[in-house]
Amino acid sequence: MDLNTVVSYRFATSRADLILAPGEKVLGGGTGLFAEPRPDVTGIVDLSTMGWPDLEVSEAGLRIAATCTIATLVAFAEGRGPLAVPGGWAAASVFPVAANALLASFKIWNTATVGGNVCQSYCAASMVSLAAALDGQAVIWTPDGGERRQSVASLMTGDGTNSLGAAEVLRAIDLPAVALRSRVLMRKIALAELGRSGAVVTGRVDADATAVFTVTASTLTPTVLRYAPLPDAPTLAAAVGAARGYYTDPLGPADWRRAVSIVLAEELRAELAAGA
Ligand SMILES: Cc1cc2nc3c(=O)[nH]c(=O)nc-3n(C[C@H](O)[C@H](O)[C@H](O)COP(=O)(O)OP(=O)(O)OC[C@H]3O[C@@H](n4cnc5c(N)ncnc54)[C@H](O)[C@@H]3O)c2cc1C
């Protein structure tokens, strides 16, 4: 939609360009920003010209630029991009699953950015689900020229809110190699078959047998549960059931979200246990 309060549009090419004037907002792909009235926005600062490499592979893991599109991330995971997935990074197989957890994903994949999805911060933000599942760290540029890091899971404060400062910019998401080498599974459920996620649950087992389960979309903020080794069924069900923030909206009542999260977590636990 037209944001008819916008009177300026500039392309950022340097860090100095990211000093925002009152009313300015940074733009990733615009699929969220232009989707609803934003009378508070008077200027747009486009990040697509910052020149950040979409994906950087290193010994430490994978850096996903905030400006990397979801389509590019999927192409990497499926071996269709310029970079090869390093041998042993089994968790890359879950990237397309996360991308498909977005409602109407085929319409927005080529434009929507990973950073935009995280910063839009809807409960149903599946790039948040992905990052939470793999201990993703947000690399955040602060307005004083510094940088801070925070787990993506802890950055979320509610449906559409996060703890980013007004003038802070998400530079990248870092996924650690240890998590990328893990076995990880993701399940989504929605009231309508292709609808916006009602619950997205992940389960992961690392090489050292540490197990991590996350509950997203059904709770207002991500829930991350860690065990060593895999928990038994009653332990996991109790922890998922006790997670905070199950909520009711037109996409599902809180008691349904809680119940399906428990079921999905147990499916993942059983599958991971069988694989082990
Ligand atoms: C058909 C359709 C279906 C959708 N389905 C879903 C869905 O299932 N789940 C879901 O979560 N969303 C969904 N969305 C909303 C939105 O498209 C996605 O969240 C998308 O990933 C946003 O990415 P973007 O790059 O377009 O963000 P933008 O629209 O560019 O930005 C979104 C917000 O994040 C801020 N922002 C962007 N990049 C940064 C950055 N690097 N640092 C700081 N702030 C930043 C912007 O200022 C803005 O406030 C849908 C939208 C449409 C149109």
Side-chain angles (χ1 to χ4, degrees), residues 78-265:
E78 293 179 346
R80 293 182 286 106
L83 280 180
V85 177
W89 284 14
S93 64
V94 88
F95 296 179
V97 183
N100 277 307
L102 289 170
L103 168 72
S105 54
F106 65 93
K107 291 185 188 171
I108 59 167
W109 271 17
N110 290 311
T111 310
T113 63
V114 174
N117 188 251
V118 169
C119 295
Q120 187 81 29
S121 301
Y122 289 146
C123 293
S126 64
M127 295 299 112
V128 173
S129 307
L130 176 67
L134 297 176
D135 294 335
Q137 289 278 312
V139 181
I140 299 162
W141 278 5
T142 53
D144 59 2
E147 182 176 298
R148 69 181 181 89
R149 297 172 68 88
Q150 185 178 344
S151 73
V152 172
S154 71
L155 197 61
M156 302 299 123
T157 56
D159 193 11
T161 59
N162 59 53
S163 59
L164 275 182
E168 289 185 327
V169 174
L170 179 65
R171 164 64 183 86
I173 306 292
D174 282 347
L175 302 180
V178 65
L180 287 161
R181 283 193 288 267
S182 69
R183 181 159 181 238
V184 60
L185 303 169
M186 177 181 279
R187 293 271 199 287
K188 166 202 164 160
I189 191 166
L191 279 180
E193 192 184 347
L194 297 175
R196 185 169 287 199
S197 303
V200 175
V201 182
T202 68
R204 173 183 131 207
V205 178
D206 292 353
D208 67 358
T210 302
V212 182
F213 290 84
T214 69
V215 179
T216 53
S218 56
T219 50
L220 286 170
T221 56
T223 301
V224 182
L225 302 166
R226 293 179 195 277
Y227 302 90
L230 268 177
D232 60 23
T235 302
L236 183 61
V240 172
R244 296 177 57 180
Y246 289 107
Y247 64 100
T248 295
D249 73 358
L251 302 170
D255 58 351
W256 172 78
R257 290 179 192 272
R258 183 192 302 272
V260 294
S261 297
I262 293 171
V263 170
L264 295 179

Side-chain angles (χ1 to χ4, degrees), residues 35-73:
E36 56 189 18
R38 294 295 300 266
D40 56 313
V41 180
T42 55
I44 302 278
V45 179
D46 193 325
L47 296 176
S48 64
T49 38
M50 284 300 290
W52 296 330
D54 285 326
L55 298 163
E56 295 174 79
V57 171
S58 72
E59 288 284 306
L62 179 66
R63 169 162 289 195
I64 307 169
T67 45
C68 176
T69 64
I70 292 170
T72 299
L73 185 66

